[in-house]
Amino acid sequence: MSASTATANSAISTLYRISVYLFLEVLPKSELKYIIPALYLAYAATLRAATPLFTHVVAIQEEKLLVEEHQSENNGELVTDVIVSETTIVAPLDEPLDWRSALKSIVFSVPSPVPALRYANLAINTLLLLAVAEFLLVPYFDDASGVVFTRVGALSPDAAKIVVRYPPTTNATENLVRLSWRQVNTKGSTDAPWREGPLVNLTAESDWVSTVRLPGLWPSTTYEYRFEDLNSTVLPYPADPIRFRTFPDSRLYSGSNFRFLASSCMTPNFPYAPFQSRRIKGFDILADTLWPKSKSAAVVVPEELAPAQSSESTSDAVPAAESASENITIPILNVTAPVAVEKPEPPTEFMIFLGDFIYADVPVYYGDDQEAYRRFYRRNYNSPSFRKVYERLPIFHTYDDHEIINNYVGEGNDTKGPFPNASSAFELYNANANFDSPVEGQYYYDFRYGDAAFFVMDTRRYRSDITVGDPTTHTMLGDQQLAALYNWLGKVNQTAVFKFIVTSVPFTSLWTYEGPVETWAAFPAEKAALLSALHSVPNVILLSGDRHEFAAIEFEAGDWGHNVLEISTSPFSMFYVPFIRTLLPRSEEIVNKTREEVVVNEDGTKEVIQHVVEVPKEKVVKYIAEGNYKWSWIEVDTRDPQHPVVNVDIMIDGKAAYKMEVVGKPVRLQLSTALGAFVPQSFKGVLDRIGLKPSNWF
């Protein structure tokens, strides 16, 4: 063995192990799936040449002088012969194992004369290769074709959308199941009879999944449902009926107090753990947070960490002269050590998943194939981790590039591959259960919860290729969607207190790596026009994901209009990049802002002095990059119309990392004067059935 061969083998093995760790635990870069096998082959090829020629520690031993006497008679005389010999021999010596050397050999693959250590290194590297193979190949071989699931999607005051996948046990081409439902009383129990709901036709062509709408419900009411066959026999799944609660009627302006979740980016079993291919740890953590298994596990806020409402903290955040004309963002708690947060009261009503629900191209892209895309969705719904949540919490979705392929640009061309196959799977499993779009066949939509309004964008289907054409004509949303967004802003300006706009990619231009081409920074003309409109509407909050980091960004309106806040949260259960930071603290673009300062003169009189300062157009309120499991827990409280508030808890790895309070501007809501605005559609249906015509009254 040459020293250079041994050094090369050790270096290759160390580089191999570092690559495996990065791939399975830090960042599953696609290039590493080629580099890792190549490094393993190089390690194996040099292993024999790096093996020492000896297998024992040897020492040189010199033997002492040996004198032998031999007596004999010669002619009657006694003769003594003296023989002197000196011998040098090489003898193997067994020495005790040096544990420091053994540890060095295992960690850095240093060639060792001890066979057990050499075999241990080979076994470790082989096991690492098998772990990589499991991570790469399980998504292909685990097709989850038999998964049965149901979940609740879009909710309104009088209806619910319900998704079900129920493949038949035989080789049939279709499967008919009936949804039955009933109301649950306020105590959580019911003896009401089951009522027949819609019949669901499940076919192999639709991958045995369908979405149905359950109408005729009442606002703010709890219901439960189950499935039966055509003979009214209750099917084994779900084992217990699935419950949901309808939304309140947004036409009754009595104030709202509710919570919802927002996050994006997830994939099963990352960071990797052996034999956990179906686990999505983010959902395990979320389920334990939402529904603690015991009272002792319930999370509470220590008194010293409760939000402080001191006049000092408020005045530091926003001068009093500004508070009447703009939204106020007050950081309340910046937690660096693990702490607990209060169990949400009111309960969490729904989750908005901001995109990258699947990673069709990471770490392996299995091609533009319909079955490949569907398989990713089936695997997620087959996850026991995810099942803990989607059977109990309504989830609304948008999509981003990884549901299609990395950095996808649609250009408004629905025939452009791989969009047709990717969007087909997205529709079946996620989009059909969303709220209806104002335009049929589109993925953008809006909805209301009480006096809070939501608009969910589609940022992939219509975005322009920014490498060609006039930059001023580039669009993220397309003309039709942009018009729908402006129309929505006009409708909710004075009919909703807080307005949430969901964009799968960040609206801010402060992100660097890929930000200039992936975020709204790539569409400066459209962004500037839209931001100008947002500044004219009070209490706008943008929700975004994609960056695998958390950030709160404030867009300054200057001396007119209202500030806009962006909350960007990801990943939900995926990688983050340690050590490297990709967010700028503020923009170079500035706006002028007039500040007022009260000066007390020597004679005791007060004088208000105005002065103009330059402030960044965009600035970071808070930035946290660390954490594989992040979500925003957002509470809306508009019960006091003069003091509407949004409280934001940033949860990272299951612990509270940051709290902030957004004090909104009071909005004088425009109430409808028509009696029909206060009559639920379900009640109008009752009047229709008994022969009365409510249309003549309302």
Side-chain angles (χ1 to χ4, degrees), residues 505-549:
V505 294
F507 195 73
T508 182
S509 300
L510 297 180
W511 256 291
T512 54
Y513 175 73
E514 286 194 347
V517 297
E518 270 292 283
T519 70
W520 279 84
F523 305 89
E526 188 169 84
K527 175 188 172 181
L530 179 55
L531 184 57
S532 179
L534 298 182
H535 281 316
S536 68
V537 179
N539 308 332
V540 172
I541 298 177
L542 296 159
L543 304 175
S544 66
D546 180 64
R547 294 286 89 190
H548 294 241
E549 297 173 317

Short mmCIF file of all heavy atoms in Angstrom, two decimals, residues 505-549:
data_model
loop_
_atom_site.label_atom_id
_atom_site.label_comp_id
_atom_site.label_asym_id
_atom_site.label_seq_id
_atom_site.Cartn_x
_atom_site.Cartn_y
_atom_site.Cartn_z
N VAL A 505 -45.19 32.86 -4.15
CA VAL A 505 -43.82 33.38 -4.09
C VAL A 505 -43.84 34.75 -3.43
O VAL A 505 -44.83 35.46 -3.47
CB VAL A 505 -43.21 33.49 -5.50
CG1 VAL A 505 -43.04 32.12 -6.12
CG2 VAL A 505 -44.04 34.39 -6.41
N PRO A 506 -42.74 35.16 -2.78
CA PRO A 506 -42.75 36.42 -2.05
C PRO A 506 -43.02 37.63 -2.94
O PRO A 506 -42.59 37.69 -4.09
CB PRO A 506 -41.33 36.48 -1.45
CG PRO A 506 -40.92 35.05 -1.33
CD PRO A 506 -41.51 34.37 -2.53
N PHE A 507 -43.71 38.58 -2.34
CA PHE A 507 -43.99 39.85 -3.02
C PHE A 507 -42.80 40.80 -2.90
O PHE A 507 -42.56 41.61 -3.78
CB PHE A 507 -45.23 40.48 -2.40
CG PHE A 507 -45.83 41.59 -3.23
CD1 PHE A 507 -46.53 41.31 -4.39
CD2 PHE A 507 -45.70 42.91 -2.84
CE1 PHE A 507 -47.09 42.32 -5.16
CE2 PHE A 507 -46.25 43.94 -3.61
CZ PHE A 507 -46.95 43.64 -4.77
N THR A 508 -42.05 40.68 -1.82
CA THR A 508 -40.90 41.56 -1.61
C THR A 508 -39.81 41.29 -2.63
O THR A 508 -39.69 40.18 -3.16
CB THR A 508 -40.33 41.39 -0.19
OG1 THR A 508 -39.24 42.29 -0.02
CG2 THR A 508 -39.85 39.98 0.04
N SER A 509 -38.99 42.31 -2.86
CA SER A 509 -37.84 42.19 -3.76
C SER A 509 -36.53 42.05 -3.00
O SER A 509 -35.45 42.18 -3.58
CB SER A 509 -37.77 43.42 -4.68
OG SER A 509 -38.92 43.54 -5.47
N LEU A 510 -36.61 41.75 -1.70
CA LEU A 510 -35.40 41.73 -0.88
C LEU A 510 -34.66 40.40 -0.91
O LEU A 510 -33.51 40.33 -0.47
CB LEU A 510 -35.75 42.08 0.58
CG LEU A 510 -36.31 43.49 0.81
CD1 LEU A 510 -36.61 43.72 2.28
CD2 LEU A 510 -35.35 44.55 0.29
N TRP A 511 -35.29 39.34 -1.39
CA TRP A 511 -34.59 38.06 -1.43
C TRP A 511 -33.61 38.03 -2.59
O TRP A 511 -33.91 38.50 -3.70
CB TRP A 511 -35.57 36.90 -1.54
CG TRP A 511 -35.72 36.18 -0.23
CD1 TRP A 511 -34.79 35.41 0.40
CD2 TRP A 511 -36.86 36.20 0.64
NE1 TRP A 511 -35.28 34.92 1.60
CE2 TRP A 511 -36.54 35.40 1.77
CE3 TRP A 511 -38.11 36.79 0.58
CZ2 TRP A 511 -37.43 35.18 2.82
CZ3 TRP A 511 -39.00 36.58 1.62
CH2 TRP A 511 -38.65 35.79 2.73
N THR A 512 -32.44 37.44 -2.34
CA THR A 512 -31.38 37.43 -3.35
C THR A 512 -31.38 36.13 -4.15
O THR A 512 -31.86 36.10 -5.28
CB THR A 512 -30.01 37.68 -2.69
OG1 THR A 512 -29.81 36.73 -1.63
CG2 THR A 512 -29.95 39.08 -2.10
N TYR A 513 -30.89 35.03 -3.58
CA TYR A 513 -30.72 33.80 -4.35
C TYR A 513 -32.01 33.41 -5.06
O TYR A 513 -33.02 33.11 -4.43
CB TYR A 513 -30.27 32.66 -3.43
CG TYR A 513 -30.18 31.32 -4.13
CD1 TYR A 513 -29.16 31.05 -5.03
CD2 TYR A 513 -31.15 30.35 -3.92
CE1 TYR A 513 -29.08 29.83 -5.68
CE2 TYR A 513 -31.09 29.12 -4.56
CZ TYR A 513 -30.05 28.87 -5.45
OH TYR A 513 -29.99 27.67 -6.11
N GLU A 514 -31.99 33.45 -6.39
CA GLU A 514 -33.12 33.16 -7.27
C GLU A 514 -34.29 34.14 -7.10
O GLU A 514 -35.23 34.11 -7.88
CB GLU A 514 -33.63 31.73 -7.08
CG GLU A 514 -32.71 30.67 -7.69
CD GLU A 514 -33.37 29.31 -7.79
OE1 GLU A 514 -34.44 29.10 -7.18
OE2 GLU A 514 -32.81 28.44 -8.49
N GLY A 515 -34.22 35.00 -6.08
CA GLY A 515 -35.29 35.95 -5.87
C GLY A 515 -35.52 36.89 -7.05
O GLY A 515 -36.67 37.14 -7.43
N PRO A 516 -34.47 37.43 -7.65
CA PRO A 516 -34.68 38.36 -8.76
C PRO A 516 -35.40 37.76 -9.96
O PRO A 516 -35.93 38.49 -10.79
CB PRO A 516 -33.25 38.78 -9.13
CG PRO A 516 -32.47 38.61 -7.87
CD PRO A 516 -33.06 37.40 -7.21
N VAL A 517 -35.43 36.41 -10.08
CA VAL A 517 -36.11 35.80 -11.22
C VAL A 517 -37.34 35.01 -10.82
O VAL A 517 -38.20 34.71 -11.66
CB VAL A 517 -35.15 34.87 -12.01
CG1 VAL A 517 -34.01 35.67 -12.61
CG2 VAL A 517 -34.61 33.75 -11.12
N GLU A 518 -37.47 34.66 -9.53
CA GLU A 518 -38.57 33.80 -9.09
C GLU A 518 -39.68 34.56 -8.37
O GLU A 518 -40.83 34.15 -8.40
CB GLU A 518 -38.03 32.71 -8.16
CG GLU A 518 -37.61 31.45 -8.90
CD GLU A 518 -38.80 30.73 -9.49
OE1 GLU A 518 -39.54 30.05 -8.77
OE2 GLU A 518 -39.01 30.87 -10.70
N THR A 519 -39.36 35.64 -7.68
CA THR A 519 -40.34 36.36 -6.90
C THR A 519 -40.93 37.50 -7.72
O THR A 519 -40.64 37.67 -8.91
CB THR A 519 -39.70 36.91 -5.62
OG1 THR A 519 -38.81 37.98 -5.97
CG2 THR A 519 -38.92 35.83 -4.89
N TRP A 520 -41.76 38.32 -7.05
CA TRP A 520 -42.35 39.48 -7.74
C TRP A 520 -41.30 40.49 -8.18
O TRP A 520 -41.61 41.40 -8.96
CB TRP A 520 -43.37 40.13 -6.83
CG TRP A 520 -44.71 39.44 -6.84
CD1 TRP A 520 -45.09 38.36 -6.10
CD2 TRP A 520 -45.83 39.79 -7.65
NE1 TRP A 520 -46.38 38.01 -6.40
CE2 TRP A 520 -46.87 38.88 -7.34
CE3 TRP A 520 -46.08 40.78 -8.59
CZ2 TRP A 520 -48.12 38.92 -7.94
CZ3 TRP A 520 -47.32 40.84 -9.20
CH2 TRP A 520 -48.32 39.92 -8.87
N ALA A 521 -40.07 40.36 -7.68
CA ALA A 521 -39.01 41.26 -8.13
C ALA A 521 -38.78 41.16 -9.63
O ALA A 521 -38.29 42.11 -10.26
CB ALA A 521 -37.72 40.94 -7.38
N ALA A 522 -39.13 40.02 -10.22
CA ALA A 522 -38.93 39.82 -11.66
C ALA A 522 -39.97 40.56 -12.49
O ALA A 522 -39.85 40.62 -13.72
CB ALA A 522 -38.96 38.33 -11.99
N PHE A 523 -40.99 41.12 -11.85
CA PHE A 523 -42.08 41.80 -12.57
C PHE A 523 -42.30 43.18 -11.96
O PHE A 523 -43.36 43.46 -11.37
CB PHE A 523 -43.35 40.95 -12.49
CG PHE A 523 -43.16 39.54 -12.98
CD1 PHE A 523 -42.76 38.53 -12.11
CD2 PHE A 523 -43.34 39.23 -14.32
CE1 PHE A 523 -42.56 37.24 -12.56
CE2 PHE A 523 -43.14 37.94 -14.79
CZ PHE A 523 -42.75 36.95 -13.91
N PRO A 524 -41.31 44.07 -12.07
CA PRO A 524 -41.34 45.34 -11.35
C PRO A 524 -42.51 46.25 -11.74
O PRO A 524 -43.07 46.92 -10.88
CB PRO A 524 -40.00 45.99 -11.69
CG PRO A 524 -39.56 45.31 -12.96
CD PRO A 524 -40.09 43.93 -12.89
N ALA A 525 -42.87 46.26 -13.01
CA ALA A 525 -43.95 47.16 -13.43
C ALA A 525 -45.29 46.71 -12.84
O ALA A 525 -46.04 47.52 -12.28
CB ALA A 525 -44.02 47.21 -14.96
N GLU A 526 -45.60 45.42 -12.96
CA GLU A 526 -46.86 44.91 -12.42
C GLU A 526 -46.87 45.01 -10.90
O GLU A 526 -47.91 45.34 -10.30
CB GLU A 526 -47.07 43.47 -12.87
CG GLU A 526 -48.44 42.91 -12.51
CD GLU A 526 -48.71 41.58 -13.20
OE1 GLU A 526 -48.26 40.54 -12.68
OE2 GLU A 526 -49.34 41.59 -14.26
N LYS A 527 -45.74 44.74 -10.28
CA LYS A 527 -45.67 44.83 -8.82
C LYS A 527 -45.90 46.26 -8.34
O LYS A 527 -46.66 46.49 -7.38
CB LYS A 527 -44.31 44.34 -8.33
CG LYS A 527 -44.12 44.52 -6.83
CD LYS A 527 -42.71 44.20 -6.39
CE LYS A 527 -42.52 44.58 -4.92
NZ LYS A 527 -41.14 44.31 -4.45
N ALA A 528 -45.28 47.23 -8.99
CA ALA A 528 -45.43 48.62 -8.57
C ALA A 528 -46.87 49.09 -8.69
O ALA A 528 -47.40 49.77 -7.79
CB ALA A 528 -44.50 49.52 -9.40
N ALA A 529 -47.54 48.72 -9.78
CA ALA A 529 -48.93 49.12 -9.96
C ALA A 529 -49.83 48.47 -8.92
O ALA A 529 -50.71 49.12 -8.34
CB ALA A 529 -49.39 48.76 -11.37
N LEU A 530 -49.59 47.19 -8.66
CA LEU A 530 -50.41 46.49 -7.68
C LEU A 530 -50.16 47.02 -6.27
O LEU A 530 -51.10 47.22 -5.49
CB LEU A 530 -50.12 44.99 -7.73
CG LEU A 530 -50.89 44.10 -6.75
CD1 LEU A 530 -52.39 44.31 -6.90
CD2 LEU A 530 -50.53 42.64 -6.95
N LEU A 531 -48.90 47.27 -5.94
CA LEU A 531 -48.59 47.80 -4.61
C LEU A 531 -49.21 49.17 -4.40
O LEU A 531 -49.69 49.48 -3.30
CB LEU A 531 -47.07 47.87 -4.42
CG LEU A 531 -46.58 48.31 -3.04
CD1 LEU A 531 -47.13 47.40 -1.94
CD2 LEU A 531 -45.06 48.33 -2.99
N SER A 532 -49.24 49.97 -5.44
CA SER A 532 -49.90 51.27 -5.33
C SER A 532 -51.37 51.10 -4.99
O SER A 532 -51.93 51.84 -4.17
CB SER A 532 -49.74 52.04 -6.65
OG SER A 532 -50.40 53.29 -6.59
N ALA A 533 -52.02 50.12 -5.59
CA ALA A 533 -53.43 49.85 -5.28
C ALA A 533 -53.58 49.33 -3.86
O ALA A 533 -54.52 49.71 -3.14
CB ALA A 533 -54.01 48.86 -6.27
N LEU A 534 -52.66 48.47 -3.42
CA LEU A 534 -52.75 47.92 -2.07
C LEU A 534 -52.60 49.01 -1.02
O LEU A 534 -53.21 48.94 0.05
CB LEU A 534 -51.69 46.84 -1.87
CG LEU A 534 -51.78 45.60 -2.77
CD1 LEU A 534 -50.68 44.60 -2.42
CD2 LEU A 534 -53.14 44.95 -2.65
N HIS A 535 -51.76 50.00 -1.31
CA HIS A 535 -51.59 51.10 -0.36
C HIS A 535 -52.88 51.91 -0.16
O HIS A 535 -53.00 52.63 0.83
CB HIS A 535 -50.47 52.03 -0.82
CG HIS A 535 -49.09 51.50 -0.55
ND1 HIS A 535 -48.73 50.92 0.65
CD2 HIS A 535 -47.96 51.48 -1.33
CE1 HIS A 535 -47.45 50.56 0.61
NE2 HIS A 535 -46.97 50.89 -0.58
N SER A 536 -53.82 51.79 -1.07
CA SER A 536 -55.07 52.54 -0.96
C SER A 536 -56.12 51.78 -0.17
O SER A 536 -57.22 52.29 0.06
CB SER A 536 -55.61 52.88 -2.36
OG SER A 536 -56.03 51.70 -3.03
N VAL A 537 -55.81 50.56 0.24
CA VAL A 537 -56.77 49.71 0.95
C VAL A 537 -56.23 49.46 2.36
O VAL A 537 -55.09 49.04 2.51
CB VAL A 537 -56.96 48.37 0.20
CG1 VAL A 537 -57.94 47.48 0.96
CG2 VAL A 537 -57.46 48.62 -1.21
N PRO A 538 -57.03 49.67 3.39
CA PRO A 538 -56.53 49.46 4.75
C PRO A 538 -56.42 47.98 5.10
O PRO A 538 -57.18 47.15 4.61
CB PRO A 538 -57.60 50.15 5.62
CG PRO A 538 -58.85 50.07 4.81
CD PRO A 538 -58.42 50.20 3.38
N ASN A 539 -55.43 47.67 5.92
CA ASN A 539 -55.31 46.36 6.57
C ASN A 539 -55.08 45.22 5.58
O ASN A 539 -55.72 44.18 5.66
CB ASN A 539 -56.54 46.07 7.42
CG ASN A 539 -56.87 47.19 8.39
OD1 ASN A 539 -55.99 47.92 8.82
ND2 ASN A 539 -58.14 47.33 8.72
N VAL A 540 -54.14 45.40 4.66
CA VAL A 540 -53.78 44.35 3.71
C VAL A 540 -52.57 43.59 4.24
O VAL A 540 -51.56 44.19 4.63
CB VAL A 540 -53.48 44.93 2.32
CG1 VAL A 540 -52.92 43.84 1.40
CG2 VAL A 540 -54.72 45.54 1.70
N ILE A 541 -52.67 42.27 4.26
CA ILE A 541 -51.58 41.41 4.69
C ILE A 541 -51.34 40.36 3.60
O ILE A 541 -52.26 39.65 3.20
CB ILE A 541 -51.88 40.71 6.03
CG1 ILE A 541 -52.07 41.76 7.13
CG2 ILE A 541 -50.77 39.74 6.40
CD1 ILE A 541 -52.46 41.17 8.48
N LEU A 542 -50.10 40.29 3.13
CA LEU A 542 -49.72 39.30 2.12
C LEU A 542 -49.17 38.06 2.81
O LEU A 542 -48.40 38.17 3.78
CB LEU A 542 -48.65 39.88 1.19
CG LEU A 542 -49.07 41.07 0.32
CD1 LEU A 542 -47.84 41.85 -0.15
CD2 LEU A 542 -49.88 40.61 -0.87
N LEU A 543 -49.55 36.89 2.32
CA LEU A 543 -49.05 35.63 2.83
C LEU A 543 -48.30 34.91 1.72
O LEU A 543 -48.85 34.68 0.64
CB LEU A 543 -50.21 34.75 3.32
CG LEU A 543 -51.13 35.35 4.38
CD1 LEU A 543 -52.29 34.40 4.68
CD2 LEU A 543 -50.37 35.67 5.66
N SER A 544 -47.04 34.56 1.96
CA SER A 544 -46.23 33.92 0.92
C SER A 544 -45.37 32.82 1.53
O SER A 544 -45.28 32.67 2.75
CB SER A 544 -45.33 34.95 0.22
OG SER A 544 -44.36 35.47 1.11
N GLY A 545 -44.74 32.04 0.65
CA GLY A 545 -43.86 30.95 1.08
C GLY A 545 -42.66 30.85 0.17
O GLY A 545 -42.07 31.85 -0.22
N ASP A 546 -42.28 29.62 -0.18
CA ASP A 546 -41.30 29.31 -1.22
C ASP A 546 -39.84 29.41 -0.81
O ASP A 546 -39.02 28.60 -1.26
CB ASP A 546 -41.53 30.20 -2.46
CG ASP A 546 -40.55 29.91 -3.57
OD1 ASP A 546 -40.59 28.78 -4.11
OD2 ASP A 546 -39.74 30.79 -3.91
N ARG A 547 -39.46 30.34 0.04
CA ARG A 547 -38.05 30.64 0.28
C ARG A 547 -37.40 29.74 1.32
O ARG A 547 -36.19 29.85 1.58
CB ARG A 547 -37.88 32.10 0.70
CG ARG A 547 -38.24 33.11 -0.36
CD ARG A 547 -37.18 33.18 -1.44
NE ARG A 547 -37.43 32.24 -2.53
CZ ARG A 547 -36.57 31.97 -3.49
NH1 ARG A 547 -35.38 32.52 -3.49
NH2 ARG A 547 -36.87 31.12 -4.44
N HIS A 548 -38.14 28.89 2.00
CA HIS A 548 -37.61 28.01 3.05
C HIS A 548 -37.00 28.82 4.20
O HIS A 548 -36.06 28.37 4.86
CB HIS A 548 -36.58 27.03 2.48
CG HIS A 548 -37.18 26.06 1.51
ND1 HIS A 548 -37.16 24.70 1.70
CD2 HIS A 548 -37.85 26.24 0.34
CE1 HIS A 548 -37.78 24.10 0.70
NE2 HIS A 548 -38.21 25.02 -0.14
N GLU A 549 -37.57 29.98 4.44
CA GLU A 549 -37.18 30.85 5.54
C GLU A 549 -38.41 31.62 5.98
O GLU A 549 -39.41 31.67 5.26
CB GLU A 549 -36.08 31.83 5.10
CG GLU A 549 -34.79 31.18 4.68
CD GLU A 549 -33.78 32.15 4.09
OE1 GLU A 549 -34.18 33.01 3.28
OE2 GLU A 549 -32.59 32.04 4.42
#
